[in-house]
Amino acid sequence: MEEIRNYTMNFGPQHPAAHGVLRLVLEMDGETIVRADPHIGLLHRGTEKLAESKPFNQSIGYMDRLDYVSMMCNEHAYVRAIEGLLGIEAPVRAQYIRTMFDEITRILNHLMWVGSNALDLGAMAVFLYAFREREELMDVYEAVSGARMHATYYRPGGVYRDLPEQMSKYRESPWHKGSDLKRLNAWREGSMLDYLTEFTNDFPARVDEYESLLTNNRIWKQRTVGIGVIPPEKAQAWGMTGAMLRGSGIAWDLRKKQPYASYAEMDFDIPVGVNGDCYDRYLVRVEEMRQSNRIIKQCVAWLKANPGPVMTQNYKVSPPSREEMKSDMEALIHHFKLFTEGYGVPAGETYAAVEAPKGEFGCYLVSDGANKPFRVHLRAPGFAHLSSMDAIVRGHMLADVVAMIGTYDLVFGEVDR
């Protein structure tokens, strides 16, 4: 009788569900996974080392490019670490703006996730639906920072500038004219906060549309229910955070447990799963979008009622105004010093973390008193999640590996820094 042997196959890096960078070496028994060995190192850009060679502010843009679907949340952890060593705090208005944009970023991330995960499992329509709302929020990113993705908007001590009083409008073109143009510009007559008011009123109905396509869809449930079950004790042992942990029934969320920015003033709930499978993690992320919408509404209401500064008036870390530079030579010197040398940060070490859309994103920062970090190390949630791949997919079919990669919500810019 001929001996039956396992065979080994490469999954990725070109496979769409491997997002172009992950290489999985799968040991197979027919279509069943016996062992999975994730190989990373195909994207490594040396972000942490690059940050050690530049003044503090010049590395904010690197943070956007780590998890390039959760841009401002990455910035938030980095600037909070710098603020911790400097002993400064952003003004209250800036804290509310940060809270609002963290939640806008969470919705952007989850829209990308629900669209791409559905696409990985064979459902195409929801991807197109989700990108409709992503475009509307990308316009907010662009209005406030000038960039649609890599905003570099947060600063130690606050944010780059206050929210604009006017949203840009679509112009007439062969593609947009007449009643179509009027509809596209209907939300854009007022300020950014007015625009976000309209968006938050409209968004719950859009989430209902995604759910009508997926939540009770028989094929979607066959691909996700009972797949990739992670018991709560295993989720903790692997260092999981975010929806991966909450999907297993553990209500751990830094926004509630260790509040930062203005989260202590926000009214929102932490959705948790029951079974810890791919389907529960889908439900958790969908509900997180609804909760983010609630938080944005609260921030918009507060920001409309409370004008004020958005940057600390500390010339060490923030540039003086043009008026001050014209009349005050010391302010002019501070301006040049800030943009040429940057600023020194007192010697010490700190760790600052935020509840990023994918989980706990943290920045460990060491300063030796110079104008650039001595050491930067970033805690990426996806890296901890990926380490559990082998244990979770064993015994599953090959097609279930795609569902697991999708449910991890991996972006390799942060996994392989």
Side-chain angles (χ1 to χ4, degrees):
M1 185 174 172
E2 189 179 339
E3 183 185 354
I4 300 173
R5 295 182 179 179
N6 295 338
Y7 66 94
T8 303
M9 68 174 286
N10 271 317
F11 182 102
Q14 76 286 348
H15 192 284
H19 300 184
V21 193
L22 172 64
R23 176 185 175 222
L24 277 179
V25 179
L26 301 176
E27 196 174 318
M28 311 285 296
D29 177 10
E31 280 229 20
T32 304
I33 310 297
V34 177
R35 183 170 178 271
D37 184 12
H39 285 227
I40 62 169
L42 306 174
L43 185 69
H44 193 64
R45 292 177 295 189
T47 300
E48 294 165 339
K49 208 67 192 167
L50 284 167
E52 293 164 18
S53 65
K54 291 175 173 53
F56 285 91
N57 273 20
Q58 289 186 23
S59 294
I60 298 171
Y62 284 133
M63 301 302 132
D64 289 300
R65 291 159 175 82
L66 289 162
D67 174 0
Y68 34 79
V69 201
S70 309
M71 297 73 68
M72 289 200 201
C73 291
N74 303 341
E75 295 176 22
H76 203 166
Y78 180 65
V79 300
R80 282 190 68 224
I82 296 170
E83 287 170 351
L85 287 177
L86 285 170
I88 62 173
E89 272 197 12
V92 180
R93 183 173 172 84
Q95 300 282 17
Y96 271 87
I97 291 173
R98 286 180 180 182
T99 302
M100 183 176 77
F101 270 100
D102 276 14
E103 296 310 310
I104 288 171
T105 305
R106 195 177 315 280
I107 291 176
L108 281 169
N109 181 92
H110 288 354
L111 287 174
M112 170 66 87
W113 174 81
V114 76
S116 61
N117 191 25
L119 202 58
D120 285 345
L121 299 186
M124 184 168 183
V126 71
F127 185 85
L128 304 174
Y129 279 59
F131 265 68
R132 175 186 57 193
E133 277 68 67
R134 265 180 67 84
E135 283 301 302
E136 289 169 352
L137 288 180
M138 283 295 187
D139 287 348
V140 177
Y141 255 58
E142 186 176 17
V144 82
S145 70
R148 290 178 70 78
M149 284 183 66
H150 305 311
T152 322
Y153 178 57
Y154 294 4
R155 296 284 189 282
V159 294
Y160 168 58
R161 61 172 185 174
D162 207 344
L163 306 176
E165 288 299 316
Q166 183 67 52
M167 287 291 289
S168 58
K169 294 183 179 180
Y170 286 97
R171 296 179 183 176
E172 188 166 345
S173 71
W175 301 275
H176 303 307
K177 49 188 170 185
S179 60
D180 181 45
L181 188 67
K182 193 173 181 181
R183 177 185 59 79
L184 288 168
N185 287 330
W187 294 0
R188 300 164 182 271
E189 299 299 331
S191 66
M192 174 190 284
L193 292 173
D194 295 328
Y195 178 88
L196 283 169
T197 300
E198 297 290 347
F199 177 86
T200 51
N201 290 337
D202 182 67
F203 188 61
R206 302 305 189 186
V207 181
D208 291 343
E209 289 181 359
Y210 315 146
E211 289 217 69
S212 68
L213 287 166
L214 294 180
T215 302
N216 292 313
N217 183 306
R218 181 165 54 91
I219 303 171
W220 178 254
K221 292 180 82 168
Q222 285 172 339
R223 292 301 307 273
T224 56
V225 173
I227 303 298
V229 175
I230 305 173
E233 60 279 3
K234 288 284 189 183
Q236 286 181 303
W238 277 313
M240 290 182 172
T241 50
M244 294 297 294
L245 183 64
R246 294 190 285 274
S248 294
I250 298 175
W252 176 261
D253 190 315
L254 293 178
R255 298 172 295 171
K256 288 277 193 186
K257 305 296 184 184
Q258 299 171 12
Y260 54 95
S262 299
Y263 282 111
E265 283 73 51
M266 297 293 127
D267 177 29
F268 67 101
D269 302 316
I270 304 174
V272 293
V274 178
N275 302 313
D277 56 11
C278 289
Y279 188 67
D280 271 14
R281 292 187 282 274
Y282 156 75
L283 293 174
V284 164
R285 288 184 173 110
V286 168
E287 182 57 29
E288 279 187 10
M289 288 196 279
R290 297 187 190 276
Q291 297 302 322
S292 293
N293 202 58
R294 279 178 67 189
I295 295 171
I296 294 168
K297 268 183 176 287
Q298 294 168 60
C299 290
V300 167
W302 190 94
L303 289 165
K304 281 186 172 180
N306 296 275
V310 297
M311 191 70 185
T312 181
Q313 301 302 303
N314 180 343
Y315 287 163
K316 182 175 182 178
V317 295
S318 66
S321 67
R322 288 182 179 274
E323 289 77 15
E324 289 170 310
M325 284 192 289
K326 286 175 180 174
S327 58
D328 185 347
M329 179 58 73
E330 189 178 352
L332 185 65
I333 293 168
H334 275 296
H335 170 86
F336 282 113
K337 190 173 190 306
L338 182 64
F339 285 101
T340 53
E341 295 179 24
Y343 47 84
V345 169
E349 60 182 332
T350 188
Y351 176 77
V354 299
E355 187 65 39
K358 294 173 172 59
E360 179 180 328
F361 181 88
C363 177
Y364 170 67
L365 192 67
V366 181
S367 171
D368 58 0
N371 68 334
K372 55 178 73 75
F374 176 75
R375 181 76 178 95
V376 174
H377 178 64
L378 301 161
R379 194 266 180 206
F383 186 79
H385 296 160
L386 189 61
S387 64
S388 68
M389 174 68 78
D390 176 42
I392 293 173
V393 301
R394 283 189 184 198
H396 282 299
M397 305 291 278
L398 177 60
D400 298 329
V401 176
V402 179
M404 273 314 300
I405 293 172
T407 200
Y408 279 144
D409 193 11
L410 294 166
V411 161
F412 280 86
E414 66 162 18
V415 173
D416 186 23
R417 301 170 297 287

